Amino acid sequence: MRIECVYWFEDGSWHRAPYPDDLPDDGLDCGIGHLTTRDHAVDAMCALFEFDDDCEGAVEACEQFFEHVERGTVTEEVVRSFAGEVLRIQTEYELLWPEVPIARSETDLAAMAALVRAR
């Protein structure tokens, strides 16, 4: 196993270990640089769910979810609503995967919401 970059979120902001002055890139840009704007992140989320331009409401659902993430207002209800909308779109456009991961309990849903809030 090889660790290339370590970041953590604490006290309301992101932190990292100090890097040498002569290090031009710590690997983060090449690793997740494509997610540094909301548009790129929404595009990546749509691709994850295999949504394309024909999937009405897909981009809007992903954008709404990101708005909650950015504002720090992700709740179990937000996660449940987003998951329901994703499932609706996948069903309507026949994009269902053979095994769709689902929350099997209220505890699973609470854990999903907690992970998103921790961002």
Side-chain angles (χ1 to χ4, degrees), residues 11 18 36 50 68 72 84 86 118:
D11 298 326
T36 56
E50 299 178 1
H68 282 285
V86 167

Side-chain angles (χ1 to χ4, degrees), residues 66-86:
F66 271 100
E67 285 176 18
H68 282 285
V69 170
E70 289 172 343
R71 289 192 316 257
T73 58
V74 174
T75 62
E76 291 177 43
E77 182 178 316
V78 169
V79 173
R80 186 183 299 276
S81 175
F82 178 66
E85 185 63 5
V86 167

